Amino acid sequence: MSTSPEVEAGARSRILGAAAEAFMRNGFATTTIDDIARDVGATKGLVYYHFRSKFDIFLAVYGEGMRRVRERVEPHSCGDGTGHDRLVAMSIAHLLNLMEDLAYHHVVHQAVRGEPSAALKSRQRETLRDLNRLRKDYEQMFHRVVSDGIDDGSLRRVDAPLATRTLLSNLNAVDMWYRRVEGQTDDDRRELARRIADLLIGGLTG
């Protein structure tokens, strides 16, 4: 019996969520398909029905992580306000996404550090190149807004590429210490994100 596209999409989403948590908890090398299947509450057969290998799952989690953060941040890059205003809004949105999708962020960073060491098939190498380009495009989005802020005078004259890389590195480093706290509300997370963005972007003003 065939299943509906909605059911298949739901199963795939659950697999990605479970895999992201497993990769964050154990790292890519130690995580097994059995771990992922157990966390989903399904059989290995279901996992292999949707993905050919553990590395294919990793790539899919990487891609989903990039899709989610870009969807959250990009609208702020072209909104109203100065470059400074947009950069603050983008940074807060990035941090909120990190806090809410912490496991996906960890997987993206594992990919950036090159942690998965596998003999890649050509299709996997191509997918990884495409995902790395998406990540570079995301960095360029921040770079454009930093440059806008320098041009409109809302940010001081600095080396824009260096400022962009430093800002993103520090935003992403929050996943090294941030952990979900019981009882923490959306407003609590937003206030924390605002305070972090204020500290990081403060060096680019004045």
Side-chain angles (χ1 to χ4, degrees), residues 3-14:
T3 57
S4 70
E6 292 79 8
V7 170
E8 294 218 358
R12 189 178 189 279
S13 179
R14 289 194 303 277

Side-chain angles (χ1 to χ4, degrees), residues 4-204:
S4 70
E6 292 79 8
V7 170
E8 294 218 358
R12 189 178 189 279
S13 179
R14 289 194 303 277
I15 292 169
L16 292 183
E21 293 288 343
F23 291 142
M24 178 176 70
R25 184 173 62 247
N26 305 322
F28 174 81
T30 307
T31 298
T32 66
I33 295 291
D34 283 317
D35 294 330
I36 296 169
R38 183 178 60 251
D39 290 350
V40 174
T43 64
K44 284 201 299 185
L46 177 67
V47 177
Y48 280 121
Y49 174 77
H50 289 277
F51 299 98
R52 299 186 195 181
S53 70
K54 183 174 73 169
F55 194 74
D56 287 309
I57 300 173
F58 183 89
L59 291 173
V61 174
Y62 181 7
E64 178 65 7
M66 289 306 306
R67 184 194 69 77
R68 290 185 182 197
V69 70
R70 179 133 196 171
E71 185 178 79
R72 185 78 173 261
V73 173
E74 188 169 23
H76 299 287
S77 70
C78 51
D80 295 330
T82 64
H84 171 269
D85 294 337
R86 285 179 282 140
L87 191 63
V88 169
M90 291 167 67
S91 298
I92 290 173
H94 181 96
L95 288 165
L96 288 172
N97 175 266
L98 181 153
M99 293 174 190
E100 293 164 13
D101 284 335
L102 187 61
Y104 283 93
H105 270 264
H106 270 272
V107 170
V108 171
H109 295 165
Q110 287 177 35
V112 171
R113 292 190 295 266
E115 288 186 20
S117 55
L120 304 186
K121 297 177 172 58
S122 59
R123 62 177 174 79
Q124 293 172 326
R125 284 196 298 272
E126 184 176 347
T127 299
L128 185 57
R129 282 196 297 268
D130 289 343
L131 290 171
N132 287 335
R133 279 195 291 268
L134 285 177
R135 183 173 52 79
K136 287 291 186 184
D137 287 345
Y138 184 75
E139 180 179 318
Q140 283 301 309
M141 182 172 63
F142 274 81
H143 177 266
R144 286 192 296 272
V145 175
V146 169
S147 297
D148 288 346
I150 293 170
D151 291 342
D152 67 27
S154 60
L155 300 176
R156 65 189 181 90
R157 294 209 163 272
V158 293
D159 181 325
L162 178 61
T164 302
R165 287 193 294 270
T166 301
L167 174 60
L168 279 171
S169 294
N170 281 281
L171 290 172
N172 288 328
V174 171
D175 78 359
M176 298 296 292
W177 56 263
Y178 174 80
R179 294 296 179 270
R180 301 180 184 96
V181 177
E182 186 175 354
Q184 189 179 50
T185 66
D186 289 346
D187 287 341
D188 292 334
R189 284 190 290 270
R190 179 168 290 279
E191 175 59 16
L192 177 59
R194 186 199 63 75
R195 289 167 58 200
I196 295 169
D198 181 64
L199 286 170
L200 295 179
I201 297 174
L204 296 176

